[in-house]
């Protein structure tokens, strides 16, 4: 199968690229980014795309993929304001989704959302995430799989320091008892690949479902 990874330079997106490149079921990984990736692999094609508000120029690429694996987003603490958060988390994701749904009506869409996403939340980021989920559902129906991880430990590092890592570090030895609260970037990536390659994953998938899917993916072998 052929997958397109949106947000391939982030913590989760980078992990998805790594897992997809190692998976024998994946014949091609198309990473859409504003800048080159550090990875080099015969299966990897990096598409430099500047305008994330318009994915129509990528229609020929989208027509030939089986699934969009979307890890595009920005943390609330990184966003300059609510408008920027909405633009990246909702508008850019939907721009890709619209183009993909037209170019290939059979394509699946895996969206990494966030724990706590809710249309009725008092927090703006949670409402925006839920709105993105809702709008993707309207486009893809049963071909959409949503993942709602909580804290994600960055297995392969993080470009920008995040205060949450320091807060969560003392809890890492106890993570097996905290499956409802935390995962790591490799587990999320494996869960996404498990769903993309035909594995059964509930949508939305919470932390426990993500960890279960990641375990099933690892046991199945890539």
């Amino acid at each position: 199968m052929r997958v397109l990874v949106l947000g391939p330079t982030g913590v989760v997106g980078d992990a998805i690229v790594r897992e997809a490149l190692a998976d024998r079921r994946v014949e091609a990984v198309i990473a859409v980014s504003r800048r080159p990736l550090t990875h080099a692999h015969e299966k990897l094609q990096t598409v430099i795309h500047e305008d994330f508000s318009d994915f129509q120029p990528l229609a020929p690429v989208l027509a030939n993929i089986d699934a969009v694996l979307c890890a595009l987003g920005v943390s609330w603490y990184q966003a300059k304001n609510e408008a920027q958060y909405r633009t990246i988390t909702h508008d850019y994701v939907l721009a890709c989704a619209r183009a993909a749904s037209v170019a290939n009506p059979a394509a699946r869409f895996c969206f990494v959302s966030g724990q706590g996403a809710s249309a009725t939340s008092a927090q703006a980021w949670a409402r925006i995430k839920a709105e993105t989920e809702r709008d993707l559902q309207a486009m893809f129906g049963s071909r959409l799989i949503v993942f709602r991880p909580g804290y994600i430990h960055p297995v392969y590092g993080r470009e920008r320091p995040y205060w949450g890592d320091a807060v969560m570090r003392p809890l890492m030895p106890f993570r097996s008892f905290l499956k409802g609260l935390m995962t790591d970037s490799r587990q999320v990536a494996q869960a996404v690949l498990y769903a993309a390659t035909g594995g059964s994953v509930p949508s939305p998938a919470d932390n426990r479902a993500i960890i279960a899917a990641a375990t099933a993916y690892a046991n199945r072998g890539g």
Side-chain angles (χ1 to χ4, degrees):
M1 69 179 301
R2 299 170 60 86
V3 300
L4 182 142
V5 182
L6 192 61
T9 59
V11 167
V12 174
D14 172 69
I16 291 174
V17 170
R18 291 171 186 265
E19 290 295 325
L21 291 176
D23 192 323
R24 68 177 185 274
R25 289 173 292 265
V26 179
E27 64 183 74
V29 180
I30 297 92
V32 178
S33 177
R34 286 196 176 95
R35 53 190 171 90
L37 274 63
T38 57
H39 303 285
H41 195 283
E42 60 183 6
K43 293 200 299 186
L44 178 64
Q45 175 189 352
T46 302
V47 177
I48 303 300
H49 187 61
E50 295 293 337
D51 185 3
F52 274 46
S53 67
D54 182 12
F55 280 80
Q56 289 304 318
L58 300 188
V61 174
L62 292 165
N64 291 306
I65 56 97
D66 298 293
V68 175
L69 314 182
C70 180
L72 180 65
V74 62
S75 298
W76 182 254
Y77 83 95
Q78 290 178 319
K80 295 178 181 177
N81 48 47
E82 182 177 332
Q84 185 193 47
Y85 185 85
R86 172 177 289 279
T87 295
I88 297 172
T89 304
H90 177 273
D91 299 349
Y92 288 170
V93 171
L94 266 293
C96 178
R98 290 190 193 96
S101 65
V102 172
N104 184 356
R108 293 186 292 279
F109 201 101
C110 296
F111 176 58
V112 180
S113 182
Q115 188 178 58
S118 169
T120 59
S121 175
Q123 297 177 301
W125 72 265
R127 295 194 303 272
I128 294 169
K129 287 278 193 183
E131 183 180 342
T132 305
E133 294 177 5
R134 180 202 66 197
D135 293 344
L136 288 172
Q137 183 69 41
M139 286 186 200
F140 291 92
S142 62
R143 291 177 291 111
L144 171 70
I145 304 95
V146 172
F147 300 83
R148 290 180 179 172
Y151 169 72
I152 302 172
H153 172 66
V155 173
Y156 304 108
R158 192 188 300 273
E159 281 190 335
R160 299 179 182 178
Y162 171 46
W163 59 267
D165 292 337
V167 172
M168 299 300 287
R169 192 171 295 118
L171 299 178
M172 293 306 293
F174 310 102
R175 59 180 296 184
S176 62
F177 302 102
L178 300 170
K179 292 181 179 179
L181 298 176
M182 63 172 66
T183 57
D184 65 45
S185 56
R186 190 179 185 204
Q187 287 177 321
V188 177
Q190 289 176 330
V192 169
L193 263 295
Y194 186 65
T197 55
S200 178
V201 180
S203 180
D206 61 13
N207 270 6
R208 293 182 183 278
I210 288 169
I211 293 170
T215 301
Y217 178 83
N219 290 339
R220 186 178 65 179

